[in-house]
Structures are given as structure tokens and as C-alpha cells.
Amino acid sequence: MPAKASRAAFGEALLELGAKDDRIVTVDADLSKSTMTARFAKTYPDRAFNLGIAESNMVGIGAGLALAGRIPFVCSFACFVVGRFETIRISVAYTNANVKIVGTHAGIAIGEDGYSQMGLEDIACIRALPNLPVIQPADELETRQAVAWAVEHEGPLYLRLTRQNLEPVCPPDYRFRPGRWLVLRPGNEVTLIGSGGTVFNCLEAAKLLEADSISAEVVNAASIKPLDEEGLLGSAGKTGHVVTAEDHAITGGLGGAVAEALAEALPTPLKRLGVQGFGESGDPKSLYAKHGLDPAGIAASVRKFLNR
Amino acid sequence: MADARLVLTARECRVQIIRMLTHAGSGHPGGSLSVIDILTALYFGRLRHDPRYPDWPDRDRVVLSKGHAVPALYTVMAKAGYFPESQLITLRKLGSPLQGHPDRTMLPGIEAATGSLGQGLSISLGLALGLRLRRSPARVYCILGDGEIQEGQVWEAAMSAPKLGRPMHGLDNLTVILDYNKIQLDNFVAKILDLEPVLAKWQAFGWTVIEIDGHDFDQIAKALDQAEATVGPVIVVAHTVKGKGVSFMENDPEWHGKAPKPAEAIRAIREILGVGEAAWDGYLAKNPPTRALVDELSALEKT
């Protein structure tokens, strides 16, 4: 499989699933070309609703559609849709409406458009709600499976997708399951946990570390909520050191979730890598380098963390 | 001529609103009393619903967007048979499905969590659209507060409603009712953020607007009939009196969100029942249930 953006894989998966299940509808706010629901809208014009640049109304209409038995995918940039947090909190979460919230353009990886378009606090926000799983697939295969699971899952959830292409990382026989992480590369000196766009970089970092005789176990944490607590504790117990790498604010995301779980169940030295401060314009590669999320940056942080 | 049954039902509901708020010791009497006639008209004769089967897919939906007035909704739901009337006084108590603001997951018959103002209209749009998509004959009734429409999300929804779902699935099944009682928490609406010209605003957004007295059952019925016969979304602007039926609560912002004390509650109930002070003891002697209610509320004074 060639590299593909998870938003693109989402758009294709939805088109296929939509053919089999006419309960599936899309709700957008003038970004359907970017969230990749545009083809669904073209194919199923009476099941696609573009509400204009009005995200709160988009989320609320999604909730109503769900309450009437539809399966709405409510889509926008992660920052814009989760920015309507109070509507998500009451109309979707507390109402327990079967809404699939899709936030694309996650993280600093969107690059040049700058901070106002970057979803950087979305995981922290959604993770605080009691009943929304947070899923961030790492490649095309995993995205397709996560979307199929989202249709089957009864209840609201949050799907976090990238603008940038993602290299394939999951094996062909991989099956996505909520609350289950995938060990992509076994190791025994440090557990390196990535999610979404950082998973591939974690794998590349592990290769650099191997050259320095450091054995890193690389884990793909697509299911940020629920965490794979068993998988996390098992790996942390084995390696004794955990590093998280995410394209999200350093506070409240994957690293925060891992810190909470480890602190209570198995206190383990932990290093969180993520975005410090606001994002900014720049080319994605340079931004990843600046925030230490590229392979060299992740490897350097691991070496420092392990005093190697 | 007003349906005497509805007048009587609304009066009984007003008494129960006062009773449950007094037990709770907190809550919103003003907006509950202003909206109760509208809710009574909906639940007794208008809605296609079955309290024994609250999940019936083709039931008509009521979304009380002004969720703080939920005591009024609980009284009509209890009277319609969704739950026993004896449960009303568990309002706001720990473990009760009668939450301070509506909770869909705890009480069958509640269609959406509301109370965070400005959200119910969007939910109603989605509901109406979803019902049309599966060719359900069900209608959606959304009740907005006047202060509530200061929220921006309401106008996002208002702007989208006339076009939403067209040409195939336009929202001919949506009726919105504005409980225009002219008062919000802090003060009179006109003093905080005036809504006027409110009819012209909705008309400009493409809605059919009907203006009525929200305490006149004939006018309510006529407006709801007219709404059903109209293509596209309709808003009924119902002029109401905040605290309607209780002299000392009417048109007083202080009674937006304050529960009556037992003595105040008893006076309120006497007024709702239309009994003069001098005739009260005689009335109670002849009406044991009211006597029992007065005793029940008096007992709260002592605890």
C-alpha cells in the first residue's frame, strides 16, 4: 500500500460502507473537500448535509440525526469541531447520541496554515468526556477498520485523522479493536508509544536506536481512549522506561493518558514528547524537527532519557 | 372556546410545579409556569405518543430546549403516564431520574439533554431531518426560551432550517414554539439584550411565523394546526407571562430561578386554584387532597 492520508482513507471507507448501510449520513461545515466526504456527498446527495460555516449547528444536527436512528459522521478540522465542545458535551455526550465526530487536520503536521487551523488540544478535551472513545489510526488499513468499527459501535466517538500521508505500518492481517494496542516492533529497553502520524516516526527512531544498540519496543496506540492498560503495563513492566510521542499538545493527550495509567498502576519513568506552546506556520518536516517528533528527535530524546 | 379539560389539567400541573420546586428547595418556577399551557396543549391531544412505549420510533418528539423549565415537562409527563406522579417530588434529589435539567439517559420520554441553552433547535432540526429520511410521519416540537435565542447557535440553526434536506426531505415536520415571557435570569430581556423585532428576524431567516397568546388554548391549537399544514419550518411566537398564575411571581425576574418557601407555595397554590384568602379554609375542608398537600408543604417548614 502506498502512503495515504487517514482523511483520504476515511473518505473511501465511508463511500464503501455507505453503499451497504443507508443509515450512514455525513454532516459537514464547508470543509467537505478537506474532510474527504465530498465524494460521499456526490454519490449520496440526499444523505450528505453541508451546513455552511456553522460547526455548533453541525454538531447539534448530527445529534438529532442520531436520535432519529441515522449514523451521522460529523466532520470538520479537529480544532473547529472540538472547538464546539459545549455542544459536543451536552447534545452528543450527555444525550448519548450515536454521533461519529471526525476531526481531520490533526496536529502541527498541517504545517503552513499555522496554529489556528491545527487540532492540538482535541484529544485532551474529548478524553475528559465519560462516554466518547478517542481513536487515531496510523495508516490506511487501520483507518478503514476504525471507520467500519465506528459504524458498528453503538454510541458517540471521536475519530482523529491526518491531512498528511501516512506510511503503512500495520500488517495485512491486522484487526483494529478498541482498547487494544499493537506492538509493531518488539524490544526490551524502552517502550516507544506513538499514535496516528507519529507511529511511523517511532518505528524509524527505533531503527536509529538499534544502531546505538538500544532495543526499543514500538507500540501503535490507535485507541487513546480506552487505553490498552494491559498492553501498556505489560510492555512498561518489561522495558522499565516509557516514551510517548504525539502530534498534540503535551498536556492531556496520549502522554497524559499514559502518565495517569502508569502513575496509578505501575509507576515507571516516563518521557512525554508532544507539542509545547502554540503551533506555528512552517513546513511540516521542519515543524516536526523543531518539536522533536521526527525520527532523529525522538531517538535523541530516548537516548537522553536512558542516559545513553 | 377553550377546552375546559386542558384548563383544568394545566391548573393541576401548575400546582404540581409549585409542589415539586418547594420540595426540591431550588429550581425555576417562572419559566415553568409560563410554558405549562403550551406543554399541556401538546401532551393532551396533540402529540402522537404512547407513554407505555416511549421508544416508539414514529412518536412525535418534544425537545424542551429551555431545559430549566423541565419541572413543567415532568408534570405533563407524569400526568400522561410516563412515570407515577408520586415521583415528582424526587426532583433534583440524588438518584432521581428527574434531574434538575433533562437527562435523556435517565428518564424515558426525554428526547435530548438540554439546559445548556441554545442547543435544542439544532437537535430538533437533526431529528426532523432524520425522521423525514426514514419517511416517518412523526413531527418534532421544539420549545425555545426567549433569553435562550440570544445564543448564536440558535441563529445558525435558524438560518439552516428552511433549506435543510430540500428538495427531498425538507423540514415540513418541525414546529418551534418560542416561550416569549420577556424575562431572563438577570432582568427583563429588553434590558439585557433586546430580541425585537423578533418576528421580523425569523421571517427574514425564511421561517413562517405565527404570533399567539401562549396562555390561550384556542390560539395554541389553531397555531399548531396551521403549523402542521405549512410547508417548511414554522415558529410560533407565544407571548406568555413569566410566573403565570401566581400573582407575586408574575413578571418578576426574582422568580426566574428561586423555589418558593412552604408558606409562599401554599399561597401560590391557593391563587392557582382561584380561591380567595377568606374562602381558603372552607375550600380545604371540602377538598381533602388539597388539604393533604397543604399539610405536606407545611411539614417542610418544620424540617
Side-chain angles (χ1 to χ4, degrees):
Chain A
M1 276 183 177
K4 184 175 276 183
S6 52
R7 61 173 172 150
F10 156 72
E12 291 167 8
L14 203 63
L15 198 62
E16 288 166 21
L17 293 161
K20 288 180 257 171
D21 191 338
D22 70 0
R23 295 173 302 164
I24 296 173
V25 298
T26 59
V27 194
D28 273 272
D30 195 40
L31 287 171
S32 67
K33 288 182 197 160
S34 302
T35 63
M36 297 285 181
T37 57
R39 274 180 64 200
F40 183 98
K42 209 167 172 186
T43 312
Y44 309 108
D46 58 337
R47 284 157 55 194
F49 307 98
N50 197 324
L51 277 312
I53 307 166
E55 291 83 6
S56 301
N57 189 42
M58 170 184 73
V59 171
I61 285 180
L65 283 162
L67 294 174
R70 306 296 90 186
I71 303 176
F73 281 77
V74 169
C75 314
S76 186
F77 286 12
C79 55
F80 303 143
V81 63
V82 179
R84 276 58 186 179
F85 182 73
E86 176 59 13
T87 309
I88 294 173
R89 175 176 171 263
I90 300 299
S91 294
V92 175
Y94 188 39
T95 293
N96 199 29
N98 188 25
V99 177
K100 317 305 171 185
I101 298 170
V102 180
T104 66
H105 293 61
I108 53 172
I110 68 158
E112 290 80 358
D113 271 336
Y115 174 71
S116 72
Q117 317 294 300
M118 293 170 171
L120 282 174
E121 304 84 8
D122 51 318
I123 296 174
C125 292
I126 300 292
R127 206 163 69 76
L129 297 169
N131 58 340
L132 267 75
V134 176
I135 309 298
Q136 176 165 241
D139 65 8
E140 178 181 356
L141 176 68
E142 188 165 50
T143 304
R144 287 175 169 276
Q145 297 199 4
V147 176
W149 175 76
V151 171
E152 283 167 28
H153 174 71
E154 286 266 349
L157 57 81
Y158 179 59
L159 192 59
R160 187 179 203 248
L161 304 175
T162 65
R163 173 177 181 272
Q164 80 271 25
N165 286 336
L166 300 175
E167 294 292 337
V169 292
C170 296
D173 62 345
Y174 170 69
R175 297 293 301 167
F176 168 80
R177 280 185 296 171
R180 286 298 166 85
W181 291 353
L182 176 70
V183 176
L184 291 171
R185 178 190 171 109
N188 51 39
E189 288 177 281
V190 61
T191 302
L192 196 43
I193 306 172
S195 184
T198 60
V199 174
F200 181 75
N201 289 0
C202 288
L203 282 168
E204 293 295 300
K207 286 184 200 163
L208 298 175
L209 292 166
E210 189 178 31
D212 298 338
S213 305
I214 297 172
S215 167
E217 179 148 295
V218 178
V219 178
N220 170 17
S223 181
I224 295 174
K225 183 175 181 174
L227 285 184
D228 181 352
E229 197 150 341
E230 199 185 321
L232 171 63
L233 298 183
S235 185
K238 178 175 72 176
T239 63
H241 292 84
V242 176
V243 176
T244 58
E246 61 188 316
D247 190 350
H248 181 274
I250 193 81
T251 307
L254 170 69
V258 166
E260 290 161 16
L262 288 178
E264 286 190 349
L266 183 71
T268 306
L270 170 70
K271 177 67 190 169
R272 294 170 300 136
L273 306 178
V275 178
Q276 312 249 16
F278 292 103
E280 63 192 299
S281 289
D283 69 282
K285 217 174 159 186
S286 304
L287 278 166
Y288 263 43
K290 177 175 175 177
H291 287 271
L293 293 171
D294 61 342
I298 294 170
S301 291
V302 171
R303 281 189 214 102
K304 197 175 164 200
F305 181 51
L306 298 179
N307 278 323
R308 301 272 287 270
Chain B
M1 203 180 68
D3 185 333
R5 235 171 8 105
L6 292 181
V7 174
L8 189 67
T9 302
R11 184 181 297 166
E12 288 168 4
C13 287
R14 281 193 165 86
V15 170
Q16 292 300 322
I17 289 167
I18 297 296
R19 177 192 182 207
M20 62 201 293
L21 287 171
T22 310
H23 275 273
S26 65
H28 301 81
S32 298
L33 293 170
S34 69
V35 81
I36 187 61
D37 294 324
I38 292 161
L39 284 169
T40 301
L42 283 174
Y43 274 80
F44 303 98
R46 179 65 50 172
L47 292 186
R48 294 168 66 253
H49 68 139
D50 183 352
R52 291 163 305 175
Y53 185 15
D55 291 334
W56 178 31
D58 287 333
R59 69 191 180 280
D60 289 344
R61 269 73 166 179
V62 174
V63 175
L64 182 67
S65 192
K66 47 169 291 185
H68 56 281
V70 75
L73 181 58
Y74 292 149
T75 62
V76 292
M77 286 176 70
K79 210 165 264 302
Y82 282 91
F83 56 87
E85 274 196 298
S86 59
Q87 213 172 343
L88 285 173
I89 57 171
T90 66
L91 172 72
R92 291 176 170 247
K93 307 277 194 219
L94 187 63
S96 171
L98 277 62
Q99 292 286 294
H101 291 77
D103 180 338
R104 188 183 84 91
T105 64
M106 285 184 83
L107 188 64
I110 296 290
E111 302 291 355
T114 53
S116 176
L117 296 175
Q119 299 189 25
L121 184 56
S122 301
I123 295 174
S124 301
L125 260 54
L127 263 172
L129 177 61
L131 291 165
R132 294 278 282 124
L133 283 171
R134 58 173 179 76
R135 294 176 184 78
S136 168
R139 293 191 63 80
V140 178
Y141 295 92
C142 175
I143 302 174
L144 297 173
D146 49 3
E148 173 175 26
I149 70 170
Q150 292 161 349
E151 288 278 4
Q153 189 182 334
V154 172
W155 297 100
E156 292 184 5
M159 204 188 303
S160 66
K163 287 175 251 33
L164 188 61
R166 301 214 176 278
M168 304 262 288
H169 305 108
L171 306 187
D172 304 333
N173 55 348
L174 175 68
T175 303
V176 177
I177 302 160
L178 180 69
D179 178 15
Y180 197 2
N181 64 29
K182 322 288 185 298
I183 291 174
Q184 58 192 108
L185 190 148
D186 272 340
N187 208 331
F188 290 90
V189 173
K191 287 191 179 165
I192 299 291
L193 181 60
D194 198 0
L195 309 175
E196 291 300 334
V198 75
L199 274 67
K201 285 190 174 90
W202 288 89
Q203 278 159 352
F205 277 66
W207 290 62
T208 299
V209 182
I210 304 169
E211 190 178 19
I212 62 163
D213 173 347
H215 299 302
D216 182 322
F217 286 106
D218 287 338
Q219 290 192 33
I220 297 170
K222 231 173 105 185
L224 296 178
D225 285 343
Q226 195 185 329
E228 276 194 52
T230 303
V231 173
V234 178
I235 182 163
V236 178
V237 176
H239 293 281
T240 58
V241 174
K242 194 136 181 170
K244 173 76 176 174
V246 179
S247 65
F248 58 92
M249 290 184 178
E250 285 186 4
N251 291 315
D252 183 354
E254 284 305 305
W255 287 98
H256 166 87
K258 179 175 81 168
K261 298 271 187 296
E264 293 168 326
I266 292 164
R267 185 182 153 199
I269 288 166
R270 179 176 62 72
E271 290 188 11
I272 290 164
L273 294 173
V275 183
E277 217 174 334
W280 186 230
D281 287 340
Y283 179 91
L284 291 180
K286 275 184 263 168
N287 290 276
T290 311
R291 167 89 263 168
L293 178 56
V294 166
D295 290 345
E296 174 190 304
L297 295 173
S298 301
L300 293 174
E301 192 86 80
K302 286 155 202 151
T303 53

